[in-house]
Amino acid sequence: QLRISTSAAIRPDSLPALPRGRETQAPWSAEDTMVRGHAKEKAQEANAKKMAAMKKSGSQMDARKEGLKIVCPACKAPMTNYKCLQQHYDSKHPKETCPPEDAVGK
């Protein structure tokens, strides 16, 4: 009888590593490959849908630019609407009068 001690047994982590790309392929069945391929397709579709939703929502900076349409003529601070401009003039420029709404423009 041939006895091999546990210290002399060949373990996978004790084998020398092969260069990348030279590993041997495991003999998988066609079913295993198709299942992984299907999962990969589903993952790609889900990722594409997620990216399309992100692209559709747009940038927050673009949304901010669209929302801030009125600019204070005195200090060039952006405002969302005329009422905010009036409040801004009351607090920041109390000695000046607020321009009419049509003069500020949109």
Side-chain angles (χ1 to χ4, degrees):
Q1 279 188 349
L2 180 63
R3 296 181 73 189
I4 300 175
S5 69
T6 55
S7 62
I10 298 175
R11 294 179 303 201
D13 59 344
S14 66
L15 294 175
L18 294 173
R20 290 197 138 201
R22 303 257 187 210
E23 296 91 5
T24 57
Q25 295 291 326
W28 289 312
S29 67
E31 290 177 355
D32 291 341
T33 322
M34 292 177 84
V35 169
R36 179 59 198 137
H38 181 67
K40 182 179 178 182
E41 286 179 15
K42 288 291 185 183
Q44 286 176 344
E45 287 174 13
N47 190 30
K49 190 181 279 187
K50 181 178 158 186
M51 290 298 187
M54 286 177 64
K55 191 170 213 169
K56 194 185 317 176
S57 66
S59 166
Q60 288 183 343
M61 294 301 289
D62 293 338
R64 183 177 181 269
K65 285 178 187 175
E66 290 176 15
L68 301 173
K69 295 181 178 180
I70 297 177
V71 178
C72 173
C75 64
K76 306 298 182 205
M79 309 287 158
T80 54
N81 55 26
Y82 185 71
K83 187 170 183 173
C84 288
L85 181 68
Q86 287 176 328
Q87 292 173 351
H88 171 76
Y89 258 85
D90 291 342
S91 64
K92 302 294 180 184
H93 314 292
K95 295 180 182 175
E96 298 177 30
T97 58
C98 185
E101 188 172 358
D102 54 338
V104 178
K106 290 204 178 219

